[in-house]
Amino acid sequence: MALPGPEWRGLLARRWAELDPPLRERLAAASLHDAVRLGCDLLRTEEEEVALVRLCQRVRTGKEPEAASFYREQGNREFGHRRYQMALRLYSKAASHELPSSPEVSVCFANRSAALFHLEHFEVCLEDIARAESHGYPDRLLPKVLLRKAECLLCLGRLQDAADALSVVESKIHMDGLMTSPTHQTLLKKLSQLKVKLHEKERCPEPAQEARGDMQGKSEIWEENDGISGASSSLSLNFDTERGRHLVASQDIMPGQSLLKEEAFVSVLCPGESLPLQDSETAWDTRVTNADLYCHRCLRQLLASVPCRGCSYAKYCSQDCADMAWEQYHRTECSLGALLLTLGVFCHVALRTVLLAGFAEVNRLVEWSHSGDKDPHNSKAGCKCLSETPEPGAGTRGIPGCDDSGQYHSSYQAVFHLLPHTEQHSPEHKFLCMLSVVAICKQLQEAGLHAAVLNQESSEQWPKTKTSEQTSDELSPELKTVAEAMLRHMLQLQCNAQAITVMQELGPGDGAVVNKKPVRLATAFFPVLSLLNHSCCPNTSVSFSGTAATVRASQPIPRGQEIFHCYGPHQCRMGAAERQQLLRQYFFECHCRACLDELESDVKSVVSMRNSFCCPSCQAPMQGEEDLLCCSNEACATSVSRENLSRRLQDLQQQIKKALDLLRDRKADQAIKMLLKCQMDAGNFLSPEHLLMGEMEDHLAQGSGRKQPDT
């Protein structure tokens, strides 16, 4: 869900309709700066606050120990049925709901390690065992987990580590006493079996595998562009008034050649559709979504997720990813999880973009956009209109988004310079985006997260309680700046959001065939990739690995040709009219080669149809641009209305359709008779060059081939 949900959109649509016409006109013409200030005044009614609270209550992102117990029990049930993959997911859900200080979270990790062991993910199993130990796994249960650790090490061929682990287990079992209990007897038996296995491996070590040769051949030669970060040296950055900023081949490019390798400046995981895990309906959702399957920071596929310390929604591939996300943005986002999911991915991307940039950089560029200085590095001034042409002789230094040395980096400055198309968006859409970002900033203020947003040391520097100087209805100046930047980014995303996609299986494959479809995994800003203009017949392809995009040439690209990317509507999937309709959301009309060729072909077809009627009397071509057509033969005075001839053509097409139905029903004789009659009728008013005349010839040949031979 890119934009806010339908209920919030509907509420704000009613609010917009209720506004006085002068206020609507004022909002429609307002700058981003003024729009935020108006939004702060408008978002004060109890109706919006109550609606947001109600909508957020439907999205459960908090820690719920009862949910953790439920998921853990469901996981145990699946484990008992040897459905280890399902058990793995359920144990992960349980861990995400446990409080970080709870000893129960260690049980979730230990249980999950058992599922991982049976799935033969031994390295990840060891990680979960370490997590269980560090979170205070009960001492009385530890020997069983340590035996699993030793067995993993044996399977991985780490014999000395396995021997050390077995020694620790043996000491622990003997220290516990009660050697005659059934549990201890089972543990001792397992210990003895693992010792035997260890001795066998020590006596007959497995031969070391030879280093595999380079099966891929030599790695691709990559020379990075000096002026465009992540781009190949075979590209150059250009600007003109018609195409704006765009990339051009500075040398001949071969198919398959890498042109761009860029890490997303920001990305936000899209929760995606639920994938059914089990059929039973329960108080808690047991289905799996993309939010359970991929790391919320780096987008790697998850086996054993590391849960966020504060919410049940965010999950990571490692503790390092969790810590980096917390430090960079999640400490601010964590308590806003339900609100961000309610208001959609675009709102979330806008907030995270600001948090990653840092308030100092955001404030510098927002202030810069308010005045007229052309130097983006002058902290006391702003920039000219981003749609203006650079000054002659300025080179790349004058291209919006480039730094003072003329280099274009994948940076916040480049993101900020992506066009928001403020004038092209409908006033209703701007109103929706404006009140949505103001709602987030008010929540930040009320939650006492002001200091975190400003990258200050402690959020305690901002009081959580309302004061006479600062009320929840009045945003601080700093948060108004944040809201303005967020509004800018929300509007930019309409044209500059890049979908990060992965191929997901649609269901169990049938034999060797596996059905897959591309699924939107995340929404991101790629400021360098955004330099590529659209074409319905692009000369590149884009692939993703985590948060990284790679652009390769899909065909030979001669020097001087522009580099094109497809924004979605492709000539192989839809016609020009449908593509043009879909591309209107990007505020341009496509004039790529595919569109121009198709439109030209359509025009020729229409012209051909207009001039393809012949005189019913003498069969000479009919002529005329108006509704009345006249015979071109001066000796013939016949005239017929275009409507009459068009109606005859429609009747003829219906008769041909009936004949084809007879052919499909294996009634070739009847079909041929009907087609011959159609052909005779057509000859009375259609020229021999008309497409329908050729089609009837083809249908007659097809019918003759199906006709049963005489016996």
Side-chain angles (χ1 to χ4, degrees):
M1 185 178 70
L3 293 171
E7 191 169 337
W8 178 247
R9 291 203 306 269
L11 173 62
L12 295 192
R14 291 193 298 273
R15 278 294 311 279
W16 173 260
E18 293 166 359
L19 294 178
D20 294 332
L23 182 54
R24 286 208 298 266
E25 292 176 10
R26 187 181 169 195
L27 283 166
S31 65
L32 299 178
H33 176 81
D34 293 337
V36 167
R37 275 127 190 94
L38 288 168
C40 292
D41 294 331
L42 289 169
L43 193 69
R44 288 186 174 183
T45 66
E46 186 177 346
E47 185 182 4
E48 283 97 5
E49 291 182 6
V50 171
L52 274 179
V53 170
R54 184 177 68 254
L55 291 171
C56 291
Q57 285 173 344
R58 299 176 186 174
V59 184
R60 307 171 86 158
T61 60
K63 300 282 190 183
E64 298 181 72
E66 290 183 11
S69 299
F70 167 79
Y71 287 129
R72 192 168 61 251
E73 289 169 7
Q74 293 294 310
N76 291 341
R77 188 183 72 176
E78 297 298 328
F79 188 91
H81 291 300
R82 298 186 179 182
R83 293 195 283 262
Y84 300 120
Q85 192 67 46
M86 293 182 182
L88 178 68
R89 300 298 181 202
L90 288 162
Y91 289 142
S92 293
K93 280 182 172 285
S96 69
H97 276 281
E98 291 286 8
L99 297 172
S101 58
S102 168
E104 297 299 325
V105 73
S106 67
V107 178
C108 296
F109 291 139
N111 289 2
R112 193 170 68 180
S113 74
L116 288 163
F117 179 81
H118 285 283
L119 292 168
E120 299 186 0
H121 296 299
F122 301 122
E123 291 283 7
V124 187
C125 177
L126 289 172
E127 292 173 9
D128 256 3
I129 290 171
R131 290 187 187 109
E133 289 185 89
S134 65
H135 283 81
Y137 191 65
D139 202 55
R140 59 186 175 79
L141 302 175
L142 202 53
K144 184 177 181 180
V145 173
L146 294 177
L147 283 171
R148 186 178 304 136
K149 175 181 178 180
E151 193 162 6
C152 280
L153 293 167
L154 277 173
C155 293
L156 292 170
R158 293 162 56 181
L159 303 186
Q160 185 56 55
D161 291 338
D164 294 342
L166 288 174
S167 298
V168 171
V169 176
E170 189 170 19
S171 300
K172 196 155 193 62
I173 292 174
H174 285 292
M175 284 175 60
D176 290 344
L178 301 174
M179 300 292 291
T180 57
S181 71
T183 301
H184 278 73
Q185 290 300 313
T186 303
L187 292 173
L188 288 170
K189 183 178 179 181
K190 183 68 175 179
L191 175 64
S192 177
Q193 291 171 346
L194 291 177
K195 281 184 173 181
V196 170
K197 188 181 291 187
L198 174 63
H199 292 148
E200 288 175 354
K201 284 181 174 286
E202 287 174 336
R203 284 198 305 271
C204 303
E206 295 179 1
Q209 294 185 350
E210 294 182 8
R212 297 174 64 183
D214 185 3
M215 304 298 292
Q216 302 299 323
K218 294 182 179 180
S219 60
E220 180 184 14
I221 298 174
W222 171 263
E223 186 177 345
E224 187 157 342
N225 198 298
D226 292 333
I228 312 166
S229 64
S232 162
S233 59
S234 59
L235 304 181
S236 62
L237 175 60
N238 289 16
F239 186 102
D240 62 44
T241 53
E242 182 182 348
R243 293 176 291 179
R245 292 168 292 184
H246 58 281
L247 296 179
V248 172
S250 56
Q251 61 189 53
D252 292 342
I253 293 171
M254 300 296 293
Q257 186 174 331
S258 294
L259 304 179
L260 175 64
K261 301 174 182 178
E262 183 182 15
E263 278 284 340
F265 179 82
V266 60
S267 64
V268 171
L269 184 75
C270 302
E273 299 175 1
S274 296
L275 308 173
L277 184 63
Q278 56 190 47
D279 297 330
S280 59
E281 293 187 3
T282 59
W284 289 280
D285 191 358
T286 56
R287 295 171 298 172
V288 174
T289 69
N290 283 342
D292 303 303
L293 297 174
Y294 296 91
C295 176
H296 287 222
R297 180 179 174 273
C298 71
L299 304 182
R300 287 193 182 95
Q301 198 157 6
L302 293 175
L303 261 179
S305 59
V306 175
C308 167
R309 67 184 81 171
C311 69
S312 61
Y313 176 69
K315 304 170 186 71
Y316 304 96
C317 64
S318 65
Q319 193 60 52
D320 285 344
C321 253
D323 292 342
M324 281 189 279
W326 184 265
E327 182 61 30
Q328 291 174 336
Y329 52 80
H330 193 63
R331 63 177 176 148
T332 305
E333 296 177 355
C334 187
S335 62
L336 306 182
L339 179 63
L340 293 171
L341 288 171
T342 298
L343 294 182
V345 172
F346 279 10
C347 274
H348 199 162
V349 173
L351 174 61
R352 188 171 292 180
T353 301
V354 168
L355 295 174
L356 284 168
F359 181 74
E361 181 71 354
V362 171
N363 186 57
R364 180 181 72 83
L365 287 169
V366 168
E367 285 188 358
W368 168 58
S369 68
H370 293 164
S371 54
D373 185 43
K374 302 183 181 80
D375 183 4
H377 300 276
N378 183 351
S379 61
K380 298 181 180 179
C383 68
K384 62 180 180 177
C385 175
L386 300 185
S387 60
E388 288 184 23
T389 307
E391 290 184 348
T396 56
R397 188 180 183 278
I399 295 178
C402 291
D403 61 19
D404 55 356
S405 63
Q407 293 184 318
Y408 190 94
H409 295 290
S410 185
S411 63
Y412 182 66
Q413 177 166 309
V415 170
F416 193 87
H417 278 82
L418 298 174
L419 291 178
H421 295 285
T422 309
E423 296 78 14
Q424 279 81 18
H425 288 281
S426 70
E428 295 86 348
H429 179 72
K430 286 191 285 188
F431 183 72
L432 169 67
C433 295
M434 173 187 71
L435 290 191
S436 297
V437 300
V438 168
I440 290 174
C441 289
K442 286 195 172 188
Q443 185 61 37
L444 286 169
Q445 184 162 287
E446 291 176 4
L449 294 167
H450 182 275
V453 174
L454 304 187
N455 307 111
Q456 295 172 355
E457 290 185 4
S458 172
S459 61
E460 294 301 320
Q461 295 177 23
W462 187 259
K464 294 186 180 182
T465 57
K466 300 177 185 178
T467 67
S468 57
E469 293 80 19
Q470 194 79 39
T471 68
S472 63
D473 290 333
E474 181 189 351
L475 282 182
S476 70
E478 295 88 353
L479 284 178
K480 285 179 181 176
T481 298
V482 168
E484 182 179 339
M486 286 180 62
L487 177 56
R488 179 187 200 88
H489 299 323
M490 274 203 78
L491 298 179
Q492 288 171 329
L493 284 163
Q494 177 81 18
C495 297
N496 293 285
Q498 175 63 54
I500 295 177
T501 58
V502 292
M503 298 300 292
Q504 282 187 353
E505 292 185 17
L506 294 173
D510 183 13
V513 179
V514 178
N515 295 321
K516 291 187 175 184
K517 67 172 182 178
V519 173
R520 190 186 194 106
L521 178 59
T523 298
F525 269 137
F526 287 92
V528 180
L529 180 56
S530 291
L531 293 172
L532 299 186
N533 283 327
H534 167 80
S535 171
C536 301
C537 51
N539 49 19
T540 64
S541 64
V542 183
S543 60
F544 299 95
S545 176
T547 56
T550 300
V551 178
R552 294 181 183 276
S554 58
Q555 60 190 55
I557 305 175
R559 179 181 178 181
Q561 188 177 101
E562 185 174 353
I563 310 300
F564 289 109
H565 167 42
C566 181
Y567 292 0
H570 195 285
Q571 66 168 348
C572 295
R573 294 191 289 271
M574 58 191 78
E578 186 180 357
R579 297 200 304 270
Q580 293 284 353
Q581 178 68 27
L582 290 171
L583 288 168
R584 284 176 189 164
Q585 65 179 299
Y586 301 110
F587 308 119
F588 70 87
E589 185 174 342
C590 185
H591 295 115
C592 72
R593 178 170 51 81
C595 285
L596 292 177
D597 288 349
E598 283 187 54
L599 292 173
E600 183 180 351
S601 174
D602 291 344
V603 169
K604 287 181 179 178
S605 177
V606 170
V607 171
S608 173
M609 291 292 286
R610 288 174 68 91
N611 300 321
S612 59
F613 293 122
C614 68
C615 176
S617 300
C618 67
Q619 277 68 56
M622 300 295 284
Q623 62 186 15
E625 296 297 325
E626 304 300 329
D627 291 337
L628 189 66
L629 299 179
C630 301
C631 181
S632 60
N633 182 2
E634 294 181 0
C636 179
T638 303
S639 62
V640 186
S641 72
R642 187 185 297 278
E643 183 181 358
N644 176 279
L645 293 175
S646 296
R647 193 160 49 243
R648 287 184 68 177
L649 179 60
Q650 290 174 1
D651 292 341
L652 181 66
Q653 290 171 327
Q654 289 295 322
Q655 292 301 311
I656 293 172
K657 183 177 182 298
K658 290 179 181 179
L660 294 178
D661 290 339
L662 290 171
L663 266 181
R664 280 190 286 271
D665 293 339
R666 299 181 181 277
K667 298 176 181 178
D669 288 335
Q670 297 178 46
I672 289 172
K673 288 178 183 178
M674 186 173 287
L675 285 169
L676 287 170
K677 184 178 183 303
C678 290
Q679 194 177 46
M680 186 178 298
D681 292 343
N684 291 328
F685 72 101
L686 293 180
S687 68
E689 293 79 19
H690 195 286
L691 291 174
L692 210 56
M693 302 296 283
E695 289 177 6
M696 282 189 287
E697 289 287 349
D698 293 341
H699 297 326
L700 281 167
Q702 182 184 5
S704 299
R706 292 191 182 185
K707 188 176 177 181
Q708 296 295 325
D710 295 332
T711 56

